[in-house]
Amino acid sequence: MANKTIQSLRGMKDIVNEESALFTYFVDNASKIAKNYGFSYIETPLLEETALFKRSVGESSDIVNKEMYQFIDKGENDVCLRPEGTAGVVRHFVEKKLDRAGGNYKWYYYGPMFRYERPQKGRLREFHQFGCEVFGIDSVFEDANIIIMLKEILEFFGIGFTLKLNSLGCNECMPPYKENLVKHLTNFKENLCEDCNRRILTNPIRVLDCKNDKCQLLLTGAPKITTSLCNSCDSDFEKLKEILNFNNINYEVDSNLVRGLDYYNKTAFEFVSNEIGAQSAIAGGGRYDKLVEFLGGKSTPGIGFAIGIERLLELIKMPQCNQDVIYMGTLDDSSLNTMIKVANQKRKTTKTLVEYTPRSFGKHFSIAEKLGANIVALIGENELKNGTIYIKNIKTREETNLKLEDF
């Protein structure tokens, strides 16, 4: 009996061919932009202690409650695959005692994240994020700087978007707001979904983020955080809008925007797109000034964002590439060593594909076209004897024989 074919797990997929080309095109160019803004690369482990995400993302979040790939390893450690990127970067920041060293730190990262949820278009169980995190800068100008950088990344790839903006307040203005919100919500408890009734007890502002249409309807008339901000938060929010206006950046204030994680405070933002179907978030982030402290460090301001790469790949088109792709082959075995030596030299400047099996002219051209090459370079017995190489441009049909040293 033949062995059963092993397939990829549900919600996990291979990235290959055109999609892998788009993936690396996005990562390479987003990384360049991040570096221009002063960020350096950080890579954190895929596997972390579960406690890291329970303390940072929050017990009330859907991620912790429903979606983590959590298990006990062979050392009896409670671990999970990372569901998001920020917590691991903050863990590194505290572990290396950078919170006590002072100074500013800017890191960018990209890589796979894992959430056990129902797979759908643009949302897989293993997905990839590109993110940036900033520590030590307590300024609304840095909030604007992060938003402007994210806008630049999306515009580089020609992606249309709407920027949504909110302020989640601070430890002074958020508690009384939550109290007023709970008073409003208790009038409709029996009509709210099960998740929202749980959120009322754990983190009531998460009710604002509920995707249930019935719950959203019941939120009509609910108190707005933007009208409950303390003087400091209100001043910062107004200053942020002023900076964005001055830089001609359009935005919409969305007082129901709370993001899906518990660690945000003050500035919160999302970039949404209508190009994926229903208006959907393609990137977002905000300020998390208490997160370092939550994870055992010295109180340090922080802000960051993350981009869902798979969602963007649906919207990105590769630019036309005019770079030459050379196909090299031989007409007989005697020319193979010379052809490989020449190909290795050519690869220092140009993408060069090699066919090891000697073939006829016609077969070489057929293979070259299938591989997407635009130049065919062949060596046969005569070329080897004369120290030349036959060249033909597939598109222009121009052909010539060159000395090997001139190729």
Side-chain angles (χ1 to χ4, degrees):
M1 183 177 176
N3 289 332
K4 182 181 177 182
T5 302
I6 298 174
Q7 298 183 337
S8 60
L9 296 172
R10 185 169 184 240
M12 314 276 184
K13 65 174 288 187
D14 305 308
I15 302 176
V16 68
N17 299 331
E18 293 85 359
E19 192 172 14
S20 68
L22 274 176
F23 185 94
T24 53
Y25 170 66
F26 170 79
V27 168
D28 289 347
N29 287 286
S31 298
K32 286 179 184 177
I33 293 172
K35 289 175 184 176
N36 287 344
Y37 277 75
F39 288 79
S40 58
Y41 179 67
I42 184 172
E43 184 164 334
T44 61
L46 300 184
L47 200 64
E48 298 270 13
E49 284 190 41
T50 300
L52 171 65
F53 300 104
K54 286 188 173 180
R55 287 166 60 184
S56 60
V57 175
E59 297 276 5
S60 73
S61 70
D62 288 344
I63 293 175
V64 169
N65 274 292
K66 303 175 182 180
E67 299 169 1
M68 287 205 299
Y69 274 88
Q70 178 183 358
F71 58 95
I72 305 298
D73 70 8
K74 293 182 179 180
E76 300 300 312
N77 302 298
D78 188 353
V79 298
C80 73
L81 293 170
R82 63 185 186 190
E84 58 95 47
T86 302
V89 179
V90 177
R91 189 264 311 143
H92 168 84
F93 182 78
V94 174
E95 183 179 339
K96 300 303 179 183
K97 297 182 172 56
L98 301 178
D99 55 318
R100 314 222 169 245
N104 305 329
Y105 301 84
K106 292 187 173 188
W107 289 303
Y108 77 91
Y109 59 86
Y110 58 88
M113 312 292 165
F114 302 84
R115 297 182 192 176
Y116 194 89
E117 56 183 336
R118 183 173 64 84
Q120 51 188 293
K121 186 178 181 182
R123 189 185 292 271
L124 300 171
R125 288 177 175 175
E126 180 187 16
F127 59 99
H128 297 77
Q129 287 185 343
F130 179 94
C132 291
E133 314 293 347
V134 179
F135 299 93
I137 303 179
D138 186 15
S139 169
V140 71
F141 283 95
E142 186 61 22
D143 300 23
N145 187 57
I146 283 286
I147 291 171
I148 291 169
M149 181 176 75
L150 182 45
K151 171 181 175 287
E152 183 177 336
I153 290 174
L154 296 177
E155 287 183 338
F156 177 89
F157 296 104
I159 296 170
F161 57 80
T162 299
L163 168 60
K164 294 193 172 185
L165 199 64
N166 195 19
S167 175
L168 302 179
C170 64
N171 286 345
E172 180 181 334
C173 48
M174 181 51 75
Y177 170 70
K178 284 183 177 179
E179 189 176 324
N180 290 333
L181 181 61
V182 169
K183 286 179 182 177
H184 175 84
L185 295 174
T186 49
N187 296 322
F188 311 103
K189 282 190 68 174
E190 65 278 5
N191 295 317
L192 292 171
C193 70
E194 182 181 340
D195 284 339
C196 282
N197 273 295
R198 173 175 52 81
R199 289 164 179 155
I200 288 175
L201 301 174
T202 55
N203 188 359
I205 68 165
R206 289 293 320 288
V207 175
L208 302 175
D209 194 42
C210 183
K211 301 301 185 286
N212 185 303
D213 290 339
K214 187 177 179 182
C215 292
Q216 283 296 318
L217 190 62
L218 294 171
L219 287 170
T220 304
K224 306 294 185 185
I225 180 60
T226 46
T227 61
S228 306
L229 298 174
C230 65
N231 289 337
S232 176
C233 289
D234 186 58
S235 175
D236 279 351
F237 194 45
E238 291 302 315
K239 185 64 179 178
L240 175 60
K241 290 187 286 185
E242 177 189 314
I243 299 168
L244 296 179
N245 289 334
F246 188 80
N247 285 276
N248 299 314
I249 296 174
N250 297 322
Y251 59 86
E252 297 176 3
V253 174
D254 182 355
S255 56
N256 284 352
L257 173 62
V258 298
R259 304 286 297 142
L261 311 173
D262 286 0
Y263 52 62
Y264 287 112
N265 68 298
K266 291 191 175 181
T267 301
F269 57 87
E270 277 187 355
F271 287 78
V272 300
S273 172
N274 288 321
E275 298 177 35
I276 303 178
Q279 193 173 71
S280 183
I282 52 177
R287 196 159 266 289
Y288 46 82
D289 294 334
K290 297 297 179 183
L291 185 51
V292 173
E293 200 171 352
F294 287 166
L295 295 178
K298 181 181 177 183
S299 181
T300 306
I303 186 171
F305 70 80
I307 298 172
I309 296 180
E310 276 79 3
R311 290 190 170 191
L312 288 197
L313 295 190
E314 299 177 37
L315 308 175
I316 295 174
K317 292 182 179 179
M318 285 285 286
Q320 290 295 320
C321 181
N322 296 319
Q323 184 179 6
D324 287 334
V325 177
I326 299 173
Y327 169 93
M328 294 194 66
T330 66
L331 303 175
D332 55 69
D333 287 325
S334 64
S335 308
L336 192 55
N337 284 341
T338 298
M339 184 271 289
I340 292 174
K341 184 177 181 180
V342 174
N344 289 338
Q345 191 66 29
K346 201 65 183 173
R347 282 173 172 150
K348 294 179 179 179
T349 58
T350 310
K351 182 176 180 179
T352 304
L353 312 175
V354 168
E355 171 58 49
Y356 299 119
T357 303
R359 300 184 185 277
S360 66
F361 266 83
K363 188 61 178 176
H364 277 307
F365 280 103
S366 176
I367 295 172
E369 287 184 309
K370 288 179 181 177
L371 294 176
N374 66 312
I375 294 175
V376 175
L378 303 176
I379 300 177
E381 185 178 345
N382 290 335
E383 287 80 14
L384 185 63
K385 183 167 52 178
N386 297 324
T388 60
I389 185 167
Y390 168 82
I391 310 293
K392 183 169 183 177
N393 188 308
I394 293 178
K395 292 181 179 177
T396 65
R397 300 297 176 184
E398 181 182 350
E399 54 186 329
T400 186
N401 279 73
L402 291 176
K403 288 287 186 181
L404 285 175
E405 58 266 28
D406 296 331
F407 176 56

